[in-house]
Amino acid sequence: MSTSERRRHTEEPPRSPSGEDRLRGRKAELELIDSLLAGPGRGSSGLLLHGEPGVGKTALLDAAATRATALGMRVLRAAGVQSEARIPYSALHQLLYPVRHDADRLGGHHRDALHQVFDLTRPPAPEPLVSTAVLALLELTTAERGLLMITDDVAWFDEASAAVVGFVVRRIADAPIVFLAASRTGTEDLFRRSGLPERKVESLDTGGSGAVLDAHAPGLAPAVRRRLLAEADGNPLALRELPAALTDRQLCGQDPLPDRLPLSRRLAATCAGLLAELPAPTRTLMLLAALDADAGVTTLRVAARGSADIDDLVPAERAGLVLAPAAGRGLSFCHPLIGTAVVDLAAPSDRRAAHEALAAALADDPERRAWHLAEATTGPDESVARALDEAALTAWRRGGAAPAELPAPVGALVADRRRTAASTAVTALVRAGELSPHPVDRSRRLVEAAFLATMTGQLDQVNRLLADAGQTPDTPTGLVFAATAHLLTHDDGDVDAAYRLLARALDDVTGKATKGDWDRLGILYTLLLVSLYTLRPEPWKLLDTAMARFPPEAVTPFRLCYDAYVDPTRRSESIREGLADAFAELPTDAAPWQIVPLGFAAVAMDALADYRCLLVRMTERERDGGAIGMVIPALLLLCQDSYVHGQWDEAERLAQEGLDLATAYGYQFWERQLRAVLASGAALRGNADLARSRSEETTSWAAPRGMEVTEGYARSARNLVAIGQGDYEEALVQAARIGPHGAPTPGVPGRWMVLDFVEAAVRTGRLADARAHVRAAQEAGLPRIGPRIELITAGAAAVAADDAQAAGLFEAALALPDASRWPWDYARIRFAYGQWLRRTHDMAGARVQLGAALETFDLIGAAMMAQRAAAELRATGVSVTARADAAAEPLTAQERQIAELAATGLSNKQIGERLFLSHRTVGSHLYRVYPKLGITSRAALRGALEAMAGTEEAGRQGDEDRPIGQ
């Protein structure tokens, strides 16, 4: 079903969710209703439910009707209608119409009074007479079976009907009648004053909200899901309707969500009814507050220009729509969607006038004033465009999250507190370009927006923005080249083309630098990525040249990163000191482009653990609508740090989060880097088939593109598999392809492969090669780079040493300060030491080292190495009990659905069309499914699913056969 078809199905007619969907999170209310239905006539006459529109009152009444019918009760039902509120007895007519023929069995005066009710064209009978007639009719109706009376939207009951029903309700406590009514919170009606017990239907809690949203709109991108949950704020109707107004690309995270979520027709109609009752001055103040969520009382008064004052909000407060403004603060809506509706239902001219009034009231706040001027403007206006340009520059220089006083841009009804400087700047520049009367200014602003779009997850907008920008003599071509290079790198990994464009960009940058120095960032950051993932010296040289074109203080993160990768041994101390100073000087809300280069440098120097809290804070701030292009590499860096410190579950969670984002936003470059890291993770875990599959997949992508570092990471996975299996010939082949023997590179990942190469060389009889490699590593100064590399190099020296020196070298390696912080490497060295001790017949010492290695391998989840350590330990005469394998991680409901469709032969695209997901999201889910099922390819899905189904059936049968109580 297409998006438009799905939306039409939702709104015309409205979608009818299953009863289970509509009643999620309502267990307590349903139990209360059941207790009433179970005991009519025992003094509990009924219940009044009240709550905000859409909270689920009608769904509870429907459930009550279904339950009552199942119990054999008769159900009479009426709902108030605004258009009939002035017709006497119209609601009573609706309620009693199914039993109208029973009226003929009553006495003359009661019969005549009810006939007047059923014939609405006749003059109405007096209320006292009608009230007693209704009691008599209900007595007849309940003579054979109980009765449930349901009244919904009682605020719209006509006064005569409300009076009669209220009279009846107060007299049915001993009759087999249950009365249920529902009313909107904030309304006054006769039922609220009747003394009827009340129950407020609260908004759903987080768990209930998530269940409703997932049932109605499965497969949402994580950021989209969080946004919808926040906007719906526990309202079931909103949880069902908000997704219907979004496109498939928005739902799966490929297109950004608008600042103001669109309302479905049903939601708009619900909100329109609430707002129509309010006086015009009240709606004026609400519109001003909705367009600037941070406008204080003074600002609202000034913007209202005497047409309204704060006292005019009283009707909205009484209706439960707004909260009274606190001292010094602005207006708060009781539900986020109320503000949305206020803006959506206002006439365009009224919205423009409100923006203009707010701009005038915010003369001392240039940023907020610029946004409102932009929305009040209908045609090109350079002064407004310039103001937006300045707002974008301010947001850029500020970095990090936008401050609380910055309203959501482009007329959003409620400021999104997660809005970040990067996305704010993009929006401002695009709007500034639209308002620019001169082609030169328009071109410049759109080019700047295009570059920032490459960082904010809007890769598919970059080409359009660049095309819209066009070319003028003063177009900042350096930034055009930088933006295009950034897109080429991230979209398809074309680093060669990116390098050529960056060289041209650097030639242009000095003559046409942009106002916000985005050209500098574009060149430096993209050059850094190209340099980091290739082993060629040319990109690093160009980066060095580029940094020399800018003030030293402006390029500190890039300079530290350059030194950490190009000259880490000679400058190790100054790099570590520089990192400490640079991280310490970062502001609390440091921009991601300040943090990520420092993160790369810290990883290279084995120092990220000391600063990872800063990267974590940045990712939490930016992951929803911010600098997604920076969040993903930050997650990669955190993942790598978690792996080397033995936190493998955490590492895989971070990698999967990064992979989900990369897949959703189209960052193929980062998707492949993360897959390479996950290949090594599978190898560490001992899943050889999955590691090889992931490694081959990454290698086939990286090799043609000249990404030697990415290919190196992929090969290291195969090296780890070979080590785990004791296949040192294969391990040596893979290690040698990453760094040739006798010439250990200080680059990445070569600097971390010294022990891998040396151990494989020793075990295959190439002792001279192993010792030459150790000697070269020591002479190159690799141990000076960082503590982990020092441990690895020391362990390699011990492995390659002769028997006379080995023990002392092993002990020295294991005694290095904080050596145990690197549990994988530490345990490998203890394992190698234990092997050497067993070979030299020191069984007692071997048991100590092998036992410690086994304990660590078990602890971190290194299955194959744990098996090898256990075998070595048994060879020393120690009995080792095999560790029970952990239960396999189950498939989620959506993963299973996707896997079953894939097993039938459907492509990712076909599955996505069925489930309203992008093909990339489907692929990401399958990537998680394979290791859970213990397979490596799509062809094995059917058999794995059948085996899983058989296991589940056996488990169910076992439960059925198990004696009661066991």
Side-chain angles (χ1 to χ4, degrees), residues 636 639-640 643 648-660 670-685 687 690-692 694-695 698 713-714 717 720 924 927-928 931:
L636 171 65
C639 163
Q640 291 175 315
Y643 266 129
W648 291 0
D649 289 341
E650 172 72 5
E652 287 166 10
R653 182 192 67 78
L654 291 164
Q656 193 58 58
E657 183 180 350
L659 188 59
D660 288 342
W670 292 120
E671 182 181 345
R672 299 299 176 171
Q673 313 311 324
L674 285 157
R675 290 186 188 278
V677 172
L678 283 171
S680 293
L684 290 168
R685 294 277 195 188
N687 193 332
L690 182 61
R692 290 194 189 98
R694 287 174 172 174
S695 175
T698 303
Y713 276 119
L720 288 169
S924 182
Y927 201 74
R928 288 196 292 269

Side-chain angles (χ1 to χ4, degrees), residues 346-482:
S349 58
D350 291 338
R351 288 200 294 268
R352 287 194 297 272
H355 278 297
E356 186 176 351
L358 285 165
L362 292 167
D364 58 347
D365 191 332
E367 261 190 278
R368 291 165 68 196
R369 179 176 178 272
W371 290 114
H372 291 300
L373 285 175
E375 287 304 293
T377 304
T378 57
D381 188 319
E382 177 58 25
S383 64
V384 178
R386 193 178 303 114
L388 274 178
D389 209 341
E390 292 292 337
L393 182 59
T394 301
W396 164 262
R397 286 177 174 167
R398 180 179 59 245
E405 58 270 9
L406 178 65
V410 198
L413 79 152
V414 175
D416 183 352
R417 292 294 178 260
R418 293 174 304 208
R419 179 165 300 284
T420 62
S423 57
T424 299
V426 172
T427 308
L429 288 168
V430 171
R431 182 62 176 148
E434 294 169 351
L435 295 175
S436 301
H438 304 298
V440 172
D441 295 322
R442 179 179 182 277
S443 177
R444 173 181 61 80
R445 287 160 179 156
L446 291 179
V447 167
E448 293 168 358
F451 169 67
L452 287 185
T454 65
M455 293 192 178
T456 56
Q458 302 172 63
L459 296 181
D460 55 350
Q461 302 297 315
V462 176
N463 284 329
R464 178 186 62 79
L465 288 170
L466 290 176
D468 289 348
Q471 289 288 327
T472 70
D474 293 320
T475 297
T477 53
L479 189 57
V480 173
F481 293 147

